[in-house]
Amino acid sequence: MKKILGISAFYHDSAAALVVGDQVVAAAQEERFNRIKHSPVFPVQAIRYCLDEAGLTLQDLDAVVFYEKPLLKFERLLQTYYGFSPRGIRSFIRAIPHWINEKLFLKRLIYRGLGEVGDFHRKEIKLLFSGHHLSHAASAFYVSPFEKAAILTLDGVGEWSTATLALGAGNRITMLKELRFPHSVGLLYSAFTDHLGFRVNSGEYKLMGLAPYGQASHPETARFTKLIRQELVSIKDDGSIWLNQNYFDYSTGLKMTRRRRWEALFGFPRRKPDEAIEQYHCNLAYAIQSVTEEIILKMAGEAKKSTQANDLCLAGGVALNGVANGKLHRARLFDSVFIQPAAGDAGGALGAALAVKYLYYGDPREVLNTDAMQGALLGPQFPDSDAIKMADTYGAVYQRFEDFSLLAEAVADQIQQGHIIGWFQGRMEFGPRSLGNRSILADPRNPDLQRKINLEIKGRESFRPFAPSVMAEFAEDYFDLSIPSPYMLLVASVKDTLKLPLPSGFEMLTLDEKLSIPVSTLPAVTHVDFSARIQTVDRMVNPDYRALLEAFKKKTGCGVLLNTSFNVAGEPIVCSPEDAYRCFRNTAMDVLVIGNLLFLKKDQPNNGAY
């Protein structure tokens, strides 16, 4: 029974994952422990957690594997600068010392990091390296319920690859095709993320949320789409793309774009993060989202053509684009699609471990009826005793329920009253989504809560949508979705019966004007285009969260809850009871639930924020 630790680090979203035998035992991002969002540092605390969860030490491991190959990445960096010289020489001179230290001496950095975790004998621990996109592919296929599947990976860039097409069969993955740097759908999308004033590698989902506010029939939107196709990207029938590097600066510079050229092309400068969002920003977001969807659908078509597989696996940061995923599902190119819930670089840690298990050691693979991600609930959990100790430290007032069903009824009643709940249960989620264990919850029928949660709790842009959690068997009562969506990675429309009539000329209204108009009977979770990013909740996967949904449905007749991540803007999702209590006290949340403990804001000592 092999014990393999996977690691991703030194770029963004560093993480660790532990595979023991056929089970994914633990996985977590380092940001959850050090409280630095998208932390790139060596995941010392995440590794400690994984080992503790399994009762192992470093000496017990059969292998430690890093999620990419540093020498290949260094080769790409050198060849890129050589190919674009003399452009970018200043950037090269500034960056080369860092690259040499990180890329050429990465083994030394990994051993040093492991030394912070605990004692080990260097000669007795096997250190391996997986390819970046192989790690992505393995993270999706090996935990999928498919014996055979096409595999698409799409992100910014790994070593050389920016997208790959592979075939998974049994315990093998065969790489078939790749798209190479600097041509990248992920970097294309990130360039628009940057131009629209959002942070690259973290703000892409904001761009996706902004796109529906674009005016599809407006001449400006059509003009933007035409300019993207004519000047920035050439799209081939198989989904491969060619990017015009005269407009981009990411290859050798310190920015994503050549900003003056983008300003001349689209007619407005890069938006600053604190500037108002205008309609032309929305229209450009709509244009690039639609172009990206076309690329992904064509790549999926090529995957079907090349592999003749009935099923598809997706991973890489672009696979988190739920709107594109929803359209891919509705295109019916494949019977089933499985998307790795930790699709970005964090999931590369898990994929690296799985790649070593099956491709290096050659272990046989057992295919399950469902995916092996266990609802992505792979992080740390805390007993009530830890929460009680925390409460005593802060003088917090709480009520303890011995019967969880009575707690669920009490919380459902609080939600019905319009209160906002911090919900902290069981094991923390792995990946970017809160799936009912580290969540902020509210009544989706309340039209005031979308704006209130965004502005008074999350501290983020008012246009950002929230996801609905729905009992799996009732999903089709509310949404045009016929398959499970346990990881909140599919966007679909609400049912026509739930849609509200829109005023004449609605599409041409401004963002703020649209925000003030409810578009469905579930207004707090329905986006401006009648869409929702849906999480279906199964009783077997998350019984505690399911119990709350059932209690709310029994009380109100509504089997849906508003679910968003338990954090505020700029901070990671909460990990510990103390993280949760601080977030609760410092925001407009009304109720906090940690395990079987219920905290009411009105009962807490009035001694200010923590």
Side-chain angles (χ1 to χ4, degrees):
M1 187 168 65
K2 297 294 189 298
K3 298 175 283 292
I4 306 167
L5 176 70
I7 298 169
S8 63
F10 305 128
Y11 185 41
H12 60 87
D13 294 307
S14 67
L18 182 64
V19 175
V20 178
D22 293 324
Q23 185 178 8
V24 182
V25 172
Q29 296 106 296
E30 185 70 6
E31 67 165 19
R32 307 294 169 83
F33 302 95
N34 67 17
R35 311 308 301 158
I36 301 171
K37 195 167 186 177
H38 302 299
S39 178
V41 302
F42 190 82
V44 171
Q45 295 180 80
I47 293 172
R48 285 176 181 158
Y49 153 67
C50 289
L51 294 174
D52 289 345
E53 184 69 27
L56 300 175
T57 68
L58 289 172
Q59 287 298 117
D60 297 320
L61 298 174
D62 292 284
V64 175
V65 54
F66 192 72
Y67 81 126
E68 62 182 10
K69 295 186 175 182
L71 292 181
L72 278 180
K73 194 168 187 176
F74 189 61
E75 173 192 89
R76 187 253 299 171
L77 294 167
L78 289 178
Q79 287 196 25
T80 299
Y81 270 97
Y82 178 77
F84 281 89
S85 63
R87 177 175 153 192
I89 187 63
R90 291 183 180 178
S91 171
F92 177 78
I93 292 171
R94 288 176 58 184
I96 195 66
H98 171 72
W99 291 344
I100 290 174
N101 181 56
E102 181 180 298
K103 305 302 186 294
L104 296 188
F105 300 105
L106 186 61
K107 279 190 177 182
R108 183 179 64 187
L109 292 177
I110 293 173
Y111 282 130
R112 184 184 300 165
L114 292 174
E116 294 183 47
V117 174
D119 295 331
F120 69 98
H121 300 294
R122 182 176 296 194
K123 292 183 179 180
E124 296 179 10
I125 197 164
K126 187 182 292 292
L127 179 58
L128 302 170
F129 296 86
S130 174
H132 184 102
H133 277 262
L134 175 60
S135 295
H136 280 320
S139 77
F141 176 65
Y142 288 132
V143 299
S144 77
F146 308 140
E147 170 66 27
K148 177 182 178 182
I151 311 168
L152 269 180
T153 68
L154 307 94
D155 66 3
V157 61
E159 294 89 2
W160 275 104
S161 300
T162 63
T164 64
L165 165 59
L167 176 65
N171 70 343
R172 309 304 295 174
I173 290 176
T174 304
M175 289 292 181
L176 301 177
K177 297 183 178 183
E178 69 172 349
L179 183 66
R180 298 199 113 197
F181 185 85
H183 309 295
S184 164
V185 62
L187 291 174
L188 174 66
Y189 202 81
S190 290
F192 281 86
T193 300
D194 177 73
H195 192 67
L196 290 170
F198 306 123
R199 185 178 177 183
V200 172
N201 291 327
S202 65
E204 283 76 8
Y205 56 92
K206 298 182 183 182
L207 172 55
M208 184 178 68
L210 183 63
Y213 289 97
Q215 297 164 338
S217 61
H218 197 286
E220 181 180 65
T221 307
R223 181 172 66 85
F224 285 159
T225 304
K226 183 177 180 181
L227 287 172
I228 293 170
R229 295 174 184 277
Q230 285 186 343
E231 300 295 330
L232 297 185
V233 56
S234 174
I235 306 171
K236 309 304 180 185
D237 289 341
D238 63 358
S240 60
I241 62 173
W242 179 89
L243 298 185
N244 183 352
Q245 293 301 300
N246 290 325
Y247 284 94
F248 298 92
D249 198 42
Y250 56 75
S251 292
T252 57
L254 300 174
K255 305 183 298 295
M256 287 300 301
T257 66
R258 305 184 79 173
R259 291 175 179 171
R260 291 184 179 178
R261 295 190 178 188
W262 277 57
E263 179 177 352
L265 182 66
F266 294 116
F268 63 89
R270 175 179 177 267
R271 174 182 162 267
K272 296 179 181 178
D274 57 347
E275 287 182 338
I277 295 175
E278 305 293 347
Q279 189 58 49
Y280 52 80
H281 296 127
C282 304
N283 291 344
L284 185 62
Y286 182 97
I288 187 56
Q289 175 66 29
S290 63
V291 169
T292 301
E293 291 164 8
E294 178 190 351
I295 294 168
I296 293 172
L297 284 169
K298 285 187 173 181
M299 285 188 175
E302 180 64 20
K304 178 67 176 181
K305 178 181 176 182
S306 297
T307 66
Q308 294 300 304
N310 294 323
D311 303 306
L312 174 68
C313 295
L314 285 176
V318 178
L320 295 171
N321 193 310
V323 177
N325 295 341
K327 292 187 176 181
L328 178 59
H329 160 64
R330 291 188 291 277
R332 304 294 183 186
L333 294 171
F334 294 89
D335 293 343
S336 298
V337 178
F338 173 75
I339 307 160
Q340 166 55 239
D345 279 10
L350 174 59
L354 293 168
V356 165
K357 172 180 171 60
Y358 293 111
L359 299 177
Y360 182 83
Y361 287 115
D363 285 359
R365 174 173 174 251
E366 180 183 2
V367 180
L368 306 174
N369 292 328
T370 185
D371 70 78
M373 286 299 292
Q374 304 162 60
L377 305 177
L378 297 168
Q381 60 185 336
F382 300 83
D384 277 359
S385 58
D386 283 7
I388 291 171
K389 183 178 179 181
M390 177 277 299
D392 291 343
T393 299
Y394 289 107
V397 178
Y398 61 88
Q399 179 182 358
R400 186 173 187 179
F401 289 76
E402 298 300 329
D403 186 334
F404 193 85
S405 64
L406 295 179
L407 171 65
E409 289 179 13
V411 176
D413 186 60
Q414 291 285 337
I415 295 173
Q416 184 184 29
Q417 294 176 43
H419 293 155
I420 299 167
I421 315 298
W423 182 256
F424 183 107
Q425 298 291 337
R427 297 186 71 177
M428 180 180 67
E429 298 91 340
F430 179 51
R433 309 295 184 217
S434 286
L435 301 170
N437 279 17
R438 302 291 187 275
S439 292
I440 295 173
L441 308 175
D443 188 341
R445 304 169 301 167
N446 190 324
D448 299 323
L449 289 182
Q450 191 261 359
R451 182 180 289 269
K452 180 177 181 180
I453 295 173
N454 268 330
L455 299 182
E456 298 183 27
I457 293 179
K458 302 285 284 188
R460 65 184 200 178
E461 299 86 355
S462 60
F463 69 84
R464 300 269 296 280
F466 293 111
S469 294
V470 58
M471 288 185 281
E473 67 271 28
F474 295 111
E476 288 189 82
D477 293 347
Y478 300 95
F479 307 102
D480 289 331
L481 184 69
S482 59
I483 59 171
S485 178
Y487 300 119
M488 209 183 283
L489 288 169
L490 293 176
V491 170
S493 176
V494 299
K495 285 287 191 182
D496 287 343
T497 53
L498 303 183
K499 295 176 181 177
L500 297 176
L502 301 179
S504 177
F506 178 80
E507 187 195 3
M508 304 310 289
L509 297 178
T510 66
L511 183 152
D512 286 337
E513 289 171 336
K514 289 178 179 177
L515 271 175
S516 66
I517 300 174
V519 299
S520 87
T521 56
L522 299 174
V525 296
T526 307
H527 209 18
V528 67
D529 59 350
F530 297 112
S531 70
R533 180 164 49 87
I534 302 156
Q535 179 200 4
T536 55
V537 181
D538 187 277
R539 185 180 291 106
M540 298 300 293
V541 176
N542 197 332
D544 290 344
Y545 191 33
R546 173 66 185 228
L548 178 61
L549 278 160
E550 290 175 353
F552 188 69
K553 189 175 193 301
K554 182 178 179 181
K555 186 173 290 292
T556 67
C558 178
V560 181
L561 286 173
L562 179 156
N563 178 9
T564 187
S565 56
F566 197 156
N567 66 322
V568 297
E571 291 188 4
I573 295 170
V574 299
C575 177
S576 70
E578 183 171 354
D579 297 336
Y581 188 74
R582 286 177 180 270
C583 189
F584 164 64
R585 286 305 308 272
N586 291 339
T587 67
M589 267 183 274
D590 303 291
V591 180
L592 172 64
V593 181
I594 303 179
N596 281 32
L597 310 184
L598 185 146
F599 302 75
L600 300 177
K601 178 66 69 66
K602 65 182 181 63
D603 293 339
Q604 301 312 304
N606 187 23
N607 54 1
Y610 290 94

